[in-house]
Amino acid sequence: MDHPELQSRPASPLVEAVDERFAAHGVRLLLKRDDLVHPELPGNKWRKLAPNLRAALEAGHDRLVTFGGAYSNHLRATAAAGRLLGIGTVGIVRGDELAGRPLNDSLARCAADGMRLHFVSRSRYRAKADPQELAALLDEAGAGGAYVVPEGGSNALALAGCAELGRELHGVTDVAAVACGTGGTLAGLAAGLAPGQRALGVPVLAGGFLAAEIRSLQTAAYGGPVGDWSLAEDFHHGGYARVPAALESFAADFAARHGFPVERIYVAKLLWALTTLTTAGTFPRGTTVTAIITGRP
Ligand SMILES: *Cc1c(COP(=O)(O)O)cnc(C)c1O
C-alpha cells in the first residue's frame, strides 16, 4: 500500500487564457496549472519526487539525501516531502562559505521542515559526479545508506512522473511548453505526449548544454531519445535567476491580466518566450499552445 501522501492525484487544472497577443495570430493559449497539483509541493517537483519517494519507502529507506544551491526549489520540495512522509532528509548545499551565516529564507524553510543541511565547497560539490567522492561526501554528511535523489531531482523515475503530465495533455494541445533547469521535466513530458504533439523547452540557464543533457536523461530512462521535443534557447535573460526590469514588468503584467502569481525564475521566462514566438509568427494559425505553469513564487 502506498503511503497516503503518495497516492496518485487528480490531473492538474487546464484553463484557457484569453490574451489578444495570441488571438491576433490565431494561436490559442492554455495554462496547465501544475502549480496546483499538490498543496505543498508545487508542480514538477512533486511529479519528479513522488516516484522516488515510493521507491525509497519500498526499499525500506528512512532517509533521503539530495543536493542543491542555496536557493534550490528542489531542496525545499525534498524537505517538505520528508516532513509529509515522516522520513529524514539531508541536504548537501553548494558553498561552504554559507556554513557560518544565518540561513536565507529558502534554507530556513528546509531546516524548519527537518532537513539537516551540510555545506560543502564548490569543488567538492562538483566532485560528487565521481562515485568514490560521492560515497565519502555522504559519509561525512551522515547520510550513508540514505536514498539518493540526484541534484534537481532528475533521474529515470522522475521522468516517469513527468510523463504523466504529458498524458494529461493528450488530445488538448499541439504544443506543450515548459521552462527547463535540468531538463528532466521536458524529457519526461515529451515521452508522455501523444504522436503529433510536441514539447518545447525554454532553458532558464545560459550555456547551450541542455539538449545533450536531455538526450542522456532519456537514454538512461528509455534507452534512447523519445518524443518530439526542441528547445528555444534565446530566452534565458542573462542566466539563472536573472530577472531584468523588462522581464519583471512583463511578468507583473501577465499576472494582472490572467489572475495568477507568476513565478519569476522559470515561469516568467516561459511566458515571455511564448509571447515573443507567437508575435513573431512562429506558430501557424490554428495552433493550440499550452504553457505548463510548473511552480508558484
Ligand atoms: C525546478 C523547476 C523547473 C525546472 O525543472 P527541470 O526538470 O529541472 O528542468 C521549472 N519550473 C519550476 C517552477 C521549478 O521549480
Side-chain angles (χ1 to χ4, degrees), residues 140-292:
E140 167 194 310
Y147 181 91
V148 179
V149 180
E151 182 175 24
S154 292
N155 56 11
L157 287 172
L159 266 59
C162 294
E164 182 62 28
L165 169 60
R167 284 192 290 274
E168 289 179 19
L169 293 170
H170 282 193
V172 297
T173 195
D174 301 303
V175 178
V178 70
C180 300
T182 63
T185 305
L186 177 72
L189 166 71
L193 291 173
Q197 295 185 299
R198 69 183 184 94
L200 176 65
V202 176
V204 305
L205 288 86
F209 55 85
L210 199 63
E213 201 58 41
I214 292 166
R215 277 193 291 276
S216 91
L217 286 168
Q218 287 196 329
T219 300
Y222 305 111
V226 193
D228 181 356
W229 59 267
S230 59
L231 297 176
E233 303 255 22
D234 292 330
F235 299 102
H236 55 72
H237 295 260
Y240 185 74
R242 298 278 165 82
V243 186
L247 180 63
E248 174 57 37
S249 62
F250 167 85
D253 172 71
F254 202 99
R257 284 178 194 242
H258 296 293
F260 73 100
V262 173
E263 188 268 350
R264 298 300 200 257
I265 295 176
Y266 292 97
V267 176
K269 290 180 183 179
L270 168 70
L271 296 170
W272 171 296
L274 292 179
T275 306
T276 305
L277 292 171
T278 299
T279 48
T282 308
F283 302 113
R285 297 189 83 83
T287 302
T288 299
V289 175
T290 299
I292 296 167

Side-chain angles (χ1 to χ4, degrees), residues 50-179:
N52 277 291
L53 295 167
R54 250 177 235 125
L57 293 183
E58 266 164 32
H61 290 279
D62 59 0
R63 259 171 342 145
L64 299 175
V65 59
T66 195
F67 313 87
Y71 294 93
S72 165
N73 285 343
H74 164 68
L75 276 186
R76 243 166 61 193
T78 305
R83 168 174 50 79
L84 292 171
L85 295 179
I87 65 177
T89 54
V90 178
I92 297 185
V93 187
R94 179 179 56 230
D96 51 0
E97 75 281 3
L98 301 167
R101 297 210 214 135
L103 299 177
N104 68 32
D105 285 355
S106 187
L107 292 176
R109 266 210 255 173
C110 292
D113 279 338
M115 179 174 265
R116 206 150 49 70
L117 299 172
H118 184 77
F119 296 91
V120 296
S121 71
R122 280 150 212 279
S123 61
R124 287 214 62 204
Y125 190 89
R126 264 195 309 277
K128 71 182 167 11
D130 175 80
Q132 253 176 328
E133 294 281 349
L134 175 63
L137 185 57
L138 295 182
D139 252 7
E140 167 194 310
Y147 181 91
V148 179
V149 180
E151 182 175 24
S154 292
N155 56 11
L157 287 172
L159 266 59
C162 294
E164 182 62 28
L165 169 60
R167 284 192 290 274
E168 289 179 19
L169 293 170
H170 282 193
V172 297
T173 195
D174 301 303
V175 178
V178 70

